[in-house]
Amino acid sequence: MNHQAPFRSRQIGRNALIAALLLLIGLGAAPSERWGFWGHRRLNRMAVFTLPPEMVVFYKKNLEYVTEHAVDPDKRRYATRHEAVRHYIDIDHWGTYPFPEVPRDWTEALMKFTEVGVVGSDGDTTLLHRDTVGRQVLISLNTDGGALQVPYQSDYKTYFIQEIMPQYYEDEWKLSCDTLAMLFGLSPGAIDCEKAYAVDHFSEYGIVPYHLPAMQRRLTAAFRNRDIPRILRISAEFGHYIGDAHVPLHTTTNYNGQLTDQVGIHAFWESRIPELFADQEYDYFVGKAEYIANPKDYYWDVVLASHLLVDSVLQIERDLSKTFPEDKQYCYEERLGRTIRTQCQEYAKAYQERMKGMVEDRMRATILSIGSAWYTAWVDAGQPDLDNIDKYQYSPEEMEELQVLEEKARSGNQKGRAHE
């Protein structure tokens, strides 16, 4: 595809296919699923209006795309087990604020919490471990002949990047005994090793602050290449992950109140409150997008700011539930032909008032962050010209991919940790 040329409308037959798929997307999903997607769509949509004139015309032409596809990452939870961890981080699993135990760099974090084991001829397993000698950090492997050691930040890091990280999306991480021996300066076969392996003990607790800088780089590359399909797809999905990082309950092991007898508070805070009050009461106009000088630090700051609100989110609802009439806390409502149990509007109103604008503040911060992320990628790519680009039209391959994704989402078989 020539990305330098304006995109033109396709044949009538394909337009009919598009219409059919949009009908499937709009009407076919489970009612509870459609209800939960409202916030992400609204955040992406409003972020467009933070952009400078050189960008806003292009994004306005494709406003429906970045709005509708804001929810694709949640749908992908039903397609791959690797998706769920991109939406959250249980940062309190690793310690207490500001969590100095957790490296801010992705390679460092994965390396620190990945187990590497060597299974000997007797069937016993020996694990590599970190030692500190003086001021130097070493990686060590205990053998019958003594401890083998190499510098952690140089030799082992190089080995980790070359031998382990490329297997990140594999079901099992298998290591070569010979390569492991060479790490310690030995010849192949020099250590008692029948097999070697690595196990990731980090990702299951979430990786959102690491995924966001990666998305930033991908969007920058898409702008640099003037790859319109990728610009739009990454923009839409990037907005989703940024939105998740701004939600306090996406930063804690108690992500749905399951540890404090408050099951359902995730959807209450993230979906029910904004769906009831955002359009009537919230101010969406947050000013102009700003350049993000250091994306890694910026996104970590977002996560840490969200986490500082966790106690308030939980405590306010807990206190309210003890004083509010119990028979007025939950109601039944009709949604898309189904009767659902949800928090009563009066109870939701009381919760919002006690939080003193917290949900609105996080939504406003999200809108500005999404716009700023898009703007930063465009600037870092050299501010490519986005004029004279028509509204994007789906290719047949994209239509097929979207249909498969929608069918996966409709299956209800979510992979990885459940959203709530």
Side-chain angles (χ1 to χ4, degrees):
M1 182 180 294
N2 181 4
H3 300 305
Q4 300 297 327
F7 286 85
R8 307 181 189 283
S9 59
R10 270 57 168 185
Q11 60 269 32
I12 295 175
R14 214 188 81 212
N15 288 339
L17 177 61
I18 293 174
L21 179 60
L22 291 178
L23 182 63
L24 173 68
I25 292 173
L27 299 178
S32 59
E33 185 177 79
R34 307 318 300 169
W35 183 234
F37 286 171
W38 184 93
H40 283 297
R41 291 193 176 106
R42 184 54 48 91
L43 293 168
N44 268 15
R45 193 176 192 91
M46 298 312 300
V48 169
F49 300 95
T50 69
L51 299 174
E54 298 90 341
M55 299 180 69
V56 76
V57 173
F58 166 71
Y59 275 89
K60 277 188 175 180
K61 287 180 180 178
N62 294 285
L63 188 61
E64 296 309 317
Y65 186 105
V66 296
T67 299
E68 180 59 37
H69 292 280
V71 299
D72 283 0
D74 270 345
K75 294 179 181 180
R76 199 175 298 116
R77 288 170 174 269
Y78 298 85
T80 171
R81 65 182 179 84
H82 298 291
E83 178 61 41
V85 297
R86 299 168 180 166
H87 298 245
Y88 64 89
I89 182 167
D90 296 340
I91 192 67
D92 49 7
H93 172 80
W94 303 110
T96 57
Y97 183 90
F99 310 101
E101 304 87 352
V102 184
R104 277 25 178 184
D105 177 78
W106 169 238
T107 301
E108 294 286 343
L110 192 61
M111 188 166 64
K112 181 176 180 179
F113 297 105
T114 291
E115 171 189 309
V116 176
V118 177
V119 181
S121 56
D122 58 1
D124 290 341
T125 299
T126 304
L127 302 181
L128 273 66
H129 58 279
R130 294 199 306 175
D131 287 321
T132 301
V133 179
R135 295 184 177 181
Q136 188 174 27
V137 180
L138 304 172
I139 196 77
S140 302
L141 175 64
N142 294 333
T143 69
D144 291 340
L148 304 173
Q149 296 180 319
V150 293
Y152 180 82
Q153 282 294 342
S154 54
D155 297 44
Y156 181 66
K157 186 173 184 178
T158 299
Y159 171 83
F160 190 88
I161 292 172
Q162 293 177 348
E163 302 294 330
I164 297 179
M165 291 191 73
Q167 301 185 62
Y168 184 75
Y169 291 108
E170 300 296 329
D171 290 337
E172 290 185 85
W173 296 359
K174 300 178 181 180
L175 305 179
S176 162
C177 289
D178 291 344
T179 305
L180 194 58
M182 293 169 63
L183 165 65
F184 293 101
L186 302 175
S187 59
I191 60 175
D192 180 16
C193 176
E194 291 295 317
K195 65 178 182 179
Y197 66 88
V199 178
D200 173 14
H201 292 299
F202 184 72
S203 297
E204 63 183 296
Y205 297 100
I207 64 171
V208 67
Y210 305 99
H211 188 57
L212 292 173
M215 293 293 287
Q216 189 75 54
R217 293 190 293 271
R218 292 172 193 171
L219 184 55
T220 300
F223 273 119
R224 186 176 293 121
N225 296 328
R226 209 167 178 268
D227 187 336
I228 305 306
R230 283 186 60 79
I231 290 172
L232 290 173
R233 174 178 291 194
I234 295 171
S235 293
E237 297 190 4
F238 197 2
H240 183 107
Y241 298 120
I242 292 172
D244 281 349
H246 280 79
V247 175
L249 293 172
H250 279 257
T251 70
T252 176
T253 52
N254 194 20
Y255 56 90
N256 195 28
Q258 75 277 10
L259 304 180
T260 51
D261 195 26
Q262 294 173 276
V263 173
I265 194 171
H266 190 131
F268 189 17
W269 192 99
E270 184 185 57
S271 298
R272 181 65 165 162
I273 294 292
E275 288 160 356
L276 286 175
F277 308 114
D279 277 352
Q280 291 76 27
E281 302 181 16
Y282 294 1
D283 179 5
Y284 287 126
F285 296 97
V286 298
K288 297 179 180 179
E290 302 169 351
Y291 182 76
I292 301 171
N294 188 325
K296 182 169 70 175
D297 290 349
Y298 177 87
Y299 294 123
W300 265 104
D301 287 345
V302 167
V303 167
L304 294 176
S306 293
H307 186 75
L308 286 175
L309 299 171
V310 169
D311 286 347
S312 295
V313 169
L314 296 168
Q315 188 63 51
I316 291 171
E317 197 278 334
R318 186 184 300 114
D319 292 344
L320 179 63
S321 68
K322 294 176 181 178
T323 60
F324 206 89
E326 190 171 344
D327 62 343
K328 294 184 179 179
Q329 293 183 23
Y330 284 90
C331 296
Y332 291 91
E333 296 183 359
E334 291 293 326
R335 294 286 154 77
L336 300 178
R338 284 181 56 185
T339 301
I340 65 168
R341 181 177 182 267
T342 187
Q343 291 83 4
C344 298
Q345 292 194 27
E346 294 81 1
Y347 188 58
K349 182 71 171 178
Y351 184 38
Q352 170 169 260
E353 290 175 350
R354 291 201 184 190
M355 286 191 291
K356 298 181 179 179
M358 183 196 297
V359 177
E360 179 181 6
D361 289 345
R362 296 313 283 163
M363 287 188 72
R364 285 172 54 83
T366 300
I367 291 167
L368 184 59
S369 289
I370 294 172
S372 297
W374 296 346
Y375 171 65
T376 298
W378 177 73
V379 171
D380 288 346
Q383 303 182 28
D385 184 6
L386 300 177
D387 291 338
N388 302 317
I389 298 175
D390 291 338
K391 178 180 177 181
Y392 181 65
Q393 301 291 331
Y394 297 99
S395 68
E397 293 77 16
E398 287 173 300
M399 294 303 302
E400 182 177 354
E401 181 181 344
L402 288 171
Q403 187 166 0
V404 169
L405 183 62
E406 192 66 32
E407 289 170 355
K408 291 281 187 181
R410 285 164 51 83
S411 73
N413 181 25
Q414 191 166 169
K415 302 178 186 297
R417 193 171 84 181
H419 185 49
E420 296 168 4

